[in-house]
Amino acid sequence: MPTLDYGSMLKGVLGEDAGLDPDRLSQDLSERFTKAHADVEARRASEEMGFFQLPDDRALLAATREAADTFGQWFETVVVIGIGGSSLGTATLRESLLGSGWNELDAEAREHYPRLFVLENPDPHSFSGLLSRLDLRRTLFNVVSKSGSTAETMAQFMVVWGLLEEAIGADKVHGHFLFTTSPDSGALRQLASDLGIPTLPIPDNVGGRFSVLSPVGLLPAAVTGIDVEAMLRGAGEMVKRCESATLTENPAGLLATLLHAADTELGAHIHVLMPYADRLRSLALWFQQLWAESLGKGVARSGERVEVGPTPLPAVGATDQHSQVQLFMEGPRDKVLVFVGVENGGDPVHIPTIFPDVGAFSYLGGHSLGELLDAERRATAEALRRGGRPSMTITLDRVDARSVGALFMLFQIATVYGGALYGVNPLDQPGVELGKELTYGLMGRAGYPPPELPSPDPRWRA
Ligand code: PA5
């Protein structure tokens, strides 16, 4: 199970002029968290936060498994079409638990589980690039959209539908689709019932970016042989660990409270998530959406105009030591880092004891690549600490289904605590609406007049 080290957020450990006073963990920070915890518990009790219940939802798991077992046998490739909360969790699952090379493996090496692709951005270049490599006759398209109307997802779905009609005939197309959508509303749900397309539900009280442990992530995971039981078990264990209203006993509470204080009191507005594992690179992107879309808000729940929110920044170690770490070490003191380290990072790759006379690198011989990666994580955290720059470290025993499930839940719970601490609603995203409406207008949707866009002024064109 993941552990959280937070000493390097505290005065004394960080130096006398930096960090948060450790006594505050049992004083005002503790009180602040207790209130946030009570607020979240109340919203959870009123069933607004359905993601807490997903690890125990056996019926949803059984329905997902049944669909996965059926489709897993028929198709060589599964393509998820979705965006935002409907795609980032699946990308994280694929990279962390199947490995980035999964789709290049032959069927035997994949134990005959399907390849898994995600169509997210409606960029014609990536869309056509993927479609031209697929055998449509052997591909299942899992269209994932809670609203059932997201333009990017629906546009790609429509193109795929048209291509399938040409390739296999209109009467067979519906057999290549599975919709994951709202249980009772939206155009996708309607289409499914009109055309007899199988569906899986996203519970009404589970928002897009909190949906990875619903059929949104479970179907692609189960169909590719990921141990979904272990993933839900890890998530359930994390729910239990985060039940305490005592700050120092609640890892999600500590994460949220310390990051909130770093933003609002230490000026650390930029929250960097930096796993030291390529497999967790996508996790940092998933976290970025969760943190940004949930906490970046203009209006508080009280109705007051606030314009708050930390800026999440993904990074990956050790690669970013040769890119962003210079900025983290010496640039503005507006960042706090959350490192993710892995104790057992995979098959050990030993570095041979050769070139004994080349002092510049002979010292590496006899170690392993994993040892080097972990030493770099510890060294970077220590270098930041010496510079009085705050950080925390989450450590996993290994990257497996249980620990990834636990991590998802840890960040989701921290996010809803974050909402309570900032005084905003972490479950909505009103700021994306205007852009959507203007897009509808530009694309000619009925009821949305074409917007007047200022034409580019030649005086301001270089
Ligand atoms: O977190 C969210 O609610 C959003 O990021 C959605 O997941 C995203 O906009 C996609 O929405 P939908 O699933 O309705 O297509």
Side-chain angles (χ1 to χ4, degrees):
M1 283 297 276
T3 55
L4 176 73
D5 288 293
Y6 55 95
S8 293
M9 296 296 289
L10 304 176
K11 193 174 269 182
V13 179
L14 264 191
E16 283 323 301
D17 300 325
L20 300 160
D21 184 340
D23 291 340
R24 295 182 59 201
L25 292 169
S26 54
Q27 299 166 356
D28 64 315
L29 291 181
S30 160
E31 278 164 34
R32 209 182 270 176
F33 170 63
T34 306
K35 280 197 198 117
H37 181 270
D39 182 62
V40 166
E41 286 302 302
R43 295 192 79 184
R44 191 179 157 187
S46 68
E47 301 195 353
E48 285 175 84
M49 294 182 170
F51 74 88
F52 276 105
Q53 272 82 53
L54 291 174
D56 298 323
D57 195 332
R58 305 311 293 178
L60 206 52
L61 176 62
T64 310
R65 268 199 178 292
E66 198 186 319
D69 290 347
T70 314
F71 289 116
Q73 291 172 20
W74 295 346
F75 295 102
E76 185 189 81
T77 301
V78 172
V79 178
V80 169
I81 308 180
I83 198 162
S86 291
S87 64
L88 289 162
T90 296
T92 305
L93 288 168
R94 183 185 60 192
E95 277 188 39
S96 60
L97 299 174
L98 299 175
S100 54
W102 175 256
N103 290 331
E104 277 85 63
L105 298 176
D106 64 26
E108 207 174 314
R110 295 193 317 267
E111 297 177 29
H112 299 280
Y113 288 114
R115 297 184 296 166
L116 175 62
F117 295 95
V118 180
L119 275 176
E120 186 182 52
N121 207 19
D123 179 331
H125 189 262
S126 28
F127 180 90
S128 303
L130 175 62
L131 267 284
S132 66
R133 286 183 284 132
L134 295 180
D135 178 353
L136 290 180
R137 287 161 207 275
R138 305 179 73 181
T139 303
L140 172 74
F141 292 90
N142 178 205
V143 183
V144 184
S145 176
K146 184 163 180 206
S147 62
S149 57
T150 301
E152 298 88 338
T153 303
M154 294 310 128
Q156 293 180 89
F157 157 61
M158 290 162 75
V159 181
V160 168
W161 187 280
L163 290 172
L164 272 162
E165 275 189 345
E166 281 167 27
I168 60 173
D171 54 327
K172 299 201 191 72
V173 174
H174 66 280
H176 286 254
F177 286 94
L178 169 65
F179 294 168
T180 307
T181 189
S182 160
D184 43 32
S185 63
L188 210 52
R189 167 67 50 189
Q190 187 59 48
L191 198 64
S193 81
D194 293 348
L195 301 179
I197 293 170
T199 60
L200 284 168
I202 308 171
D204 279 334
N205 61 359
V206 174
R209 55 195 174 274
F210 296 90
S211 69
V212 61
L213 300 171
S214 79
V216 170
L218 289 184
L219 184 278
V223 88
T224 51
I226 288 172
D227 186 349
V228 289
E229 294 272 358
M231 191 161 81
L232 293 175
R233 194 166 59 248
E237 287 164 354
M238 186 55 75
V239 171
K240 291 252 163 326
R241 281 182 60 192
C242 297
E243 266 165 7
S244 175
T246 304
L247 176 60
T248 50
E249 288 169 10
N250 186 321
L254 282 163
L255 197 58
T257 305
L258 296 175
L259 288 175
H260 170 259
D263 176 17
T264 56
E265 299 176 31
L266 303 180
H269 311 303
I270 299 176
H271 295 176
V272 183
L273 185 67
M274 186 165 179
Y276 271 66
D278 283 344
R279 280 173 299 167
L280 297 178
R281 204 186 272 265
S282 300
L283 178 85
L285 296 173
W286 171 84
F287 167 78
Q288 180 181 42
Q289 188 231 0
L290 182 69
W291 209 238
E293 206 167 9
S294 303
L295 302 181
K297 298 285 152 77
V299 181
R301 276 164 72 201
S302 63
E304 189 194 344
R305 180 107 210 134
V306 285
E307 298 186 358
V308 292
T311 300
L313 180 65
V316 72
T319 307
D320 269 296
Q321 289 180 205
H322 302 269
S323 170
Q324 303 194 80
V325 166
Q326 167 62 33
L327 173 72
F328 302 163
M329 279 295 296
E330 296 189 347
R333 290 177 182 272
D334 56 1
K335 297 168 200 74
V336 50
L337 277 88
V338 179
F339 294 108
V340 183
V342 183
E343 270 169 7
N344 300 297
D347 286 346
V349 177
H350 295 289
I351 307 170
T353 326
I354 50 177
F355 308 118
D357 302 329
V358 188
F361 51 80
S362 61
Y363 69 94
L364 295 167
H367 293 287
S368 69
L369 293 186
E371 264 180 278
L372 172 64
L373 191 62
D374 203 51
E376 297 206 62
R377 175 184 62 76
R378 287 183 286 129
T380 302
E382 172 59 8
L384 286 162
R385 188 195 68 76
R386 291 187 188 185
R389 290 168 187 259
S391 72
M392 288 185 259
T393 298
I394 295 170
T395 308
L396 308 182
D397 317 335
R398 60 190 75 246
V399 179
D400 60 11
R402 180 172 165 234
S403 62
V404 169
L407 268 187
F408 280 137
M409 191 53 87
L410 173 71
F411 287 120
Q412 289 179 155
I413 300 176
T415 301
V416 292
Y417 289 151
L421 291 161
Y422 282 98
V424 300
N425 183 5
L427 307 180
D428 66 4
Q429 54 283 329
V432 303
E433 287 312 313
L434 179 57
K436 275 191 199 172
E437 285 166 17
L438 295 176
T439 305
Y440 295 153
L442 290 170
M443 296 295 285
R445 181 172 175 174
Y448 295 87
E452 302 245 335
L453 301 184
S455 43
D457 187 328
R459 283 175 306 165
W460 311 121
R461 177 167 287 169

